[in-house]
Amino acid sequence: MSDAVDRQINFTQREEAGRERLGALLIVLAVAAVLMRTSWIGDDALISMQQVRLFVAGDGIVWNPGIRVQAFTHPAWFGVLSGLHAVTGAMFFPAILASIALTAGAVLVLWYFVREHLVFGAGWAAMLVLSVLLSRGFVDFGTSGLEVPLSFALSAAVMWLLVFGRTGVWLWLALALLVLNRMDHAVLLGPLALGLLGRALAERRILVIVPGALVLLAWFAFATFYFGSPLPNTYFAKVGGQISLDDRLAKGVYYLTDAFLRDGYSLGVVLLGIVAGLSRGGSFRLIALGLVLHLLYLIWVGGDFMRGRFLAVPFFVSLFLIATAITPRRAQAWAVGLIGLAIILGQPPSLDRLYSQQELVGGIADERGFYFREFATLSPIRAWPEPAEGRFDRPSADLVFVGCGGIGYSRYTAPPRAHLIDTCALTDPFLARLPVPSDIPQRIGHASRRMPVNYAAAVKGSATPTAGAALYDEMMLISAGPLWSRERHWAILRRLFRMGEEPPAVFRNGGSPDVIFMHSDTAKSWYEAIAATRNPPPEEVPE
């Protein structure tokens, strides 16, 4: 009798395990299918991919010929892309497939996490997990070529390790990689890291922190030595340009307002995640505090021009918090709340292979809608850019193009010997240190600078800038001078301690013939100029 009972128990357990695996497989396939259908490459991703291409080719981490600059914000994802490109020789398909694998893998972790904690059946668990497909930000940036999929995977690992009490070396490595994957993740998970640090000190387990700390220190030391700053150039371009606090706060509030109106389910889940984390206490309360700080940080920096990007990871983390907060007494309330939120605010992303949405609302764009028709994996009119042949074999430029916007595509297709002056300063160490003009309206994330009137001649090495020459010389020494030069090292130290050269006020105030303001919202003009260099018109034959 007992043998029969044991066999029945074993059979039931195997059957349940089989259903569990089948449920996991179906969920992963559903998510992967949606991600493949919506997969795309954005222009900002092309910025990183251009630097990856040059790095793997042996030209260094440069943007324009001979000028070292960290034009990306995700060293960890840069490393992944570099490895994929070095092994495969391809760029776009490996990035797309890796993004789908990382995002779907993160959802798989969420599924097992929810099944471990949820108090009602598999059907409710599946609904909670598949609700990620109602978040436009999650789906749109589940590919795109940007760092978000790796952030999904690392944040899922953090939540899994945290909940199951594995607060050792692996957790700290995951936290360190999250920061290296996007440095403002330090705001999102900073309270948790401080809480874990206090616990490690109290338990005299400080050595578990060392590997993660060494990873961070190694990158920041390298970035300081190689680029001249531990922070990416985009920080100085977007945040360091002395944009007024009032302007940033207004745009930050508008960014969250736009998120509520056009991706309300994501923002609603984040708010529920805050409530869930606070109700649980402990480490979950610290994560909820991180979510609050992240929203405040978004307001402080002025939000962003990409709709949904900076709520995608908080949305995903919030689902873990919600799963941990559901108890038998609260299960029904949470279920009704989530379903109601999904019905009212859910906006499933379009699966149209020719999806297009190029409307700017307050400077905020549906970035996938802007680039999808030409850069989507499954688009029938896909036209991924092709790099021009040649290498950056000399430190000076033959051709100069000027613009703002579409910088990734423009540089990727431009001749190697060309120098692209990005007036929005994302890729220019000198312009990034200039103040944002105070008298010219700017789109968030596209803060165009005034520049010296002869800047094109200066970058070709044939002139001295008419304004800011001392700052220009210092930044060129740091970004293009010999790596081991003692003079360069002193210049880096001076800038680190804010004793370096300062830009003249004329760059902010204008009113001088020494500076000029040039801005292009679409960069169409330099698209055409670069295309003309690759396909010159036929010479006329004299009669």
Side-chain angles (χ1 to χ4, degrees), residues 7 31 164 186 202 245 251 317 332 346 402 413 429 445 517:
R7 285 197 297 271
V31 171
F164 291 102
L245 180 61
K251 290 179 178 178
V317 169
Q332 186 173 4
V402 182
T413 59
F517 181 81

Side-chain angles (χ1 to χ4, degrees), residues 74-119:
H74 39 245
W77 182 238
F78 182 87
V80 171
L81 290 179
S82 298
L84 291 171
H85 184 54
V87 171
T88 66
M91 185 68 74
F92 302 117
F93 275 114
I96 289 292
L97 294 177
S99 296
I100 293 173
L102 287 167
T103 303
V107 173
L108 180 63
V109 174
L110 176 62
W111 163 256
Y112 281 112
F113 187 95
V114 170
R115 292 296 291 138
E116 189 75 24
H117 288 83
L118 216 54
V119 296

Side-chain angles (χ1 to χ4, degrees), residues 381-400:
I381 58 172
R382 188 188 74 211
W384 280 338
E386 296 182 5
E389 295 182 358
R391 293 185 58 183
F392 284 20
D393 54 353
R394 290 180 299 165
S396 60
D398 298 329
L399 301 169
V400 176

Side-chain angles (χ1 to χ4, degrees), residues 76-270:
W77 182 238
F78 182 87
V80 171
L81 290 179
S82 298
L84 291 171
H85 184 54
V87 171
T88 66
M91 185 68 74
F92 302 117
F93 275 114
I96 289 292
L97 294 177
S99 296
I100 293 173
L102 287 167
T103 303
V107 173
L108 180 63
V109 174
L110 176 62
W111 163 256
Y112 281 112
F113 187 95
V114 170
R115 292 296 291 138
E116 189 75 24
H117 288 83
L118 216 54
V119 296
F120 38 67
W124 290 105
M127 289 179 63
L128 174 59
V129 174
L130 288 175
S131 73
V132 297
L133 301 179
L134 294 175
S135 166
R136 297 180 66 180
F138 181 89
V139 174
D140 286 355
F141 293 98
T143 53
S144 84
L146 291 169
E147 79 291 337
V148 183
L150 184 55
S151 292
F152 289 150
L154 290 170
S155 59
V158 166
M159 295 302 297
W160 184 272
L161 292 169
L162 181 66
V163 167
F164 291 102
R166 299 173 185 175
T167 57
V169 170
W170 289 110
L171 177 59
W172 283 100
L173 280 172
L175 288 170
L177 289 174
L178 265 170
V179 173
L180 285 187
N181 199 46
R182 183 154 191 98
M183 292 181 188
D184 42 22
H185 288 334
V187 176
L188 177 62
L189 295 173
L192 172 65
L194 290 175
L196 293 175
L197 175 61
R199 187 188 305 174
L201 291 173
E203 297 173 355
R204 297 183 180 180
R205 297 173 59 242
I206 193 65
L207 290 180
V208 300
I209 302 170
V210 172
L214 288 178
V215 168
L216 288 174
L217 289 174
W219 170 258
F220 288 130
F222 168 78
T224 302
F225 168 74
Y226 190 80
F227 302 114
S229 171
L231 298 176
N233 195 69
T234 49
Y235 165 81
F236 300 98
K238 293 184 178 183
V239 182
Q242 304 172 30
I243 302 173
S244 71
L245 180 61
D246 287 344
D247 191 29
R248 295 205 314 268
L249 293 180
K251 290 179 178 178
V253 170
Y254 189 85
Y255 183 78
L256 293 183
T257 304
D258 177 83
F260 175 76
L261 295 175
R262 294 171 178 82
D263 191 13
Y265 184 63
S266 297
L267 184 58
V269 167
V270 172

Side-chain angles (χ1 to χ4, degrees), residues 290-337:
L291 290 171
V292 173
L293 292 178
H294 180 82
L295 295 179
L296 294 176
Y297 169 79
L298 276 179
I299 295 174
W300 180 72
V301 299
D304 188 60
F305 65 94
M306 295 190 195
R307 181 173 299 129
R309 179 183 179 185
F310 291 103
L311 289 176
V313 175
F315 162 81
F316 187 60
V317 169
S318 295
L319 290 175
F320 284 91
L321 292 179
I322 290 170
T324 62
I326 298 176
T327 63
R329 189 172 59 182
R330 298 173 178 169
Q332 186 173 4
W334 279 108
V336 171

Side-chain angles (χ1 to χ4, degrees), residues 495-526:
R495 296 217 66 82
L496 288 176
F497 289 98
R498 299 190 176 186
M499 295 186 295
E501 298 291 341
E502 294 294 329
V506 65
F507 286 104
R508 175 178 286 276
N509 303 326
S512 167
D514 293 334
V515 297
I516 188 173
F517 181 81
M518 296 181 67
H519 181 80
S520 168
D521 290 330
T522 63
K524 182 178 180 180
S525 58
W526 70 1

